[in-house]
């Protein structure tokens, strides 16, 4: 999916529950080629529930030498690039845990809620590529001092890569307002 827009949105009652029914219009681009069956990722996070201000840590183990892009997908359909960044090399060795951030890094990833939210669920997308690439080229600066853009731009960039050249993984976490 490289583009998506809501064409209709309304509240509906299903049984005794109130739900939101949404109709979408999407543009889908086919992937180029097939997956490399020998290229995989294992991603672990320090935990799955955070209070605002607590720090996210990831451990990523690729099956091949690669370059990592780590993206935070927010619930408002924006994407913030966490890696690559100016502080850390994004090269990862095969079968070796890549810590992000590591104990030696001079930065951390304190989590925050979007304005007006008391709780939320966000997703981290890890993309491993066989060659260094830039997934998002334009956008505004995020709170992490990296580029922030739309999910559509990210998916459009991925659709241009041969599928055998990258692997990806998703993890989600919950974040709550500090009490």
């Amino acid at each position: 999916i490289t583009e998506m827009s809501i064409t209709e949105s309304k509240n509906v009652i299903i049984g005794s529950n109130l739900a939101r029914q949404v109709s979408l219009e999407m543009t889908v681009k086919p992937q180029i080629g097939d997956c490399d069956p020998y290229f995989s990722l294992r991603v672990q996070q320090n935990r799955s529930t955070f209070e605002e201000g607590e720090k996210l840590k990831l451990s990523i183990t690729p099956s091949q030498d690669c370059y990592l892009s780590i993206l935070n997908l927010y619930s408002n359909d924006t994407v913030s690039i966490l890696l690559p960044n100016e502080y850390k090399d994004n090269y990862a060795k095969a079968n070796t845990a890549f810590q992000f951030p590591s104990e030696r890094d001079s930065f951390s990833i304190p989590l925050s809620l979007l304005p007006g939210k008391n709780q939320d669920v966000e997703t981290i997308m890890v993309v491993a590529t066989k060659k260094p690439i830039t997934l998002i080229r334009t956008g505004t600066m995020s709170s992490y001092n990296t580029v922030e853009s739309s999910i559509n731009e990210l998916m459009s960039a991925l659709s241009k890569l041969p599928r055998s050249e990258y692997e990806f993984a998703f993890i989600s976490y919950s974040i709550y307002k500090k009490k």
Side-chain angles (χ1 to χ4, degrees), residues 66-67 110 139 142 164 167 173:
C66 63
Y67 297 86
S142 74
S164 61
E167 189 52 59
Y173 62 88

Side-chain angles (χ1 to χ4, degrees), residues 4-178:
M4 181 172 56
S5 62
I6 297 173
T7 57
E8 184 181 358
S9 179
K10 62 183 177 182
N11 290 329
V12 295
I13 296 177
I14 301 172
S16 61
N17 297 316
L18 179 63
R20 190 84 173 154
Q21 182 177 14
V22 179
S23 297
L24 302 171
E25 186 172 296
M26 296 183 244
T27 302
V28 179
K29 288 187 179 177
Q31 290 182 330
I32 303 166
D34 295 319
C35 297
D36 177 346
Y38 303 105
F39 194 16
S40 64
L41 284 175
R42 190 176 75 232
V43 180
Q44 297 173 300
Q45 60 201 47
N46 54 326
R47 57 181 193 245
S48 60
T49 302
F50 295 87
E51 206 172 69
E52 192 172 28
E54 291 182 320
K55 296 174 180 159
L56 174 70
K57 292 183 180 186
L58 301 172
S59 178
I60 304 160
T61 307
S63 63
Q64 296 182 19
D65 289 356
C66 63
Y67 297 86
L68 298 174
S69 294
I70 302 173
L71 306 115
N72 198 355
L73 311 178
Y74 301 107
S75 62
N76 66 356
D77 292 336
T78 59
V79 178
S80 181
I81 298 173
L82 303 177
L83 186 76
N85 65 46
E86 62 185 271
Y87 307 105
K88 186 168 182 77
D89 182 24
N90 67 334
Y91 178 76
K93 292 185 181 203
N95 303 310
T96 303
F98 180 95
Q99 304 299 322
F100 183 78
S102 73
E103 297 299 323
R104 295 185 314 264
D105 288 331
S106 60
F107 64 93
S108 63
I109 307 169
L111 300 174
S112 60
L113 288 162
L114 292 170
K117 298 235 178 178
N118 291 323
Q119 64 182 20
D120 214 346
V121 175
E122 295 181 352
T123 301
I124 296 291
M125 179 180 189
V126 179
V127 180
T129 56
K130 294 179 180 179
K131 297 176 185 168
I133 62 162
T134 302
L135 286 173
I136 297 177
R137 298 179 188 282
T138 61
T140 59
M141 293 307 283
S142 74
S143 59
Y144 300 111
N145 201 29
T146 60
V147 176
E148 183 174 279
S149 192
S150 71
I151 289 178
N152 289 346
E153 183 177 346
L154 168 64
M155 299 316 286
S156 181
L158 280 175
S159 74
K160 294 173 185 167
L161 294 175
R163 187 59 185 91
S164 61
E165 293 298 307
Y166 71 95
E167 189 52 59
F168 61 93
F170 293 96
I171 58 165
S172 294
Y173 62 88
S174 299
I175 181 170
Y176 296 90
K177 190 172 253 339
K178 250 186 181 177

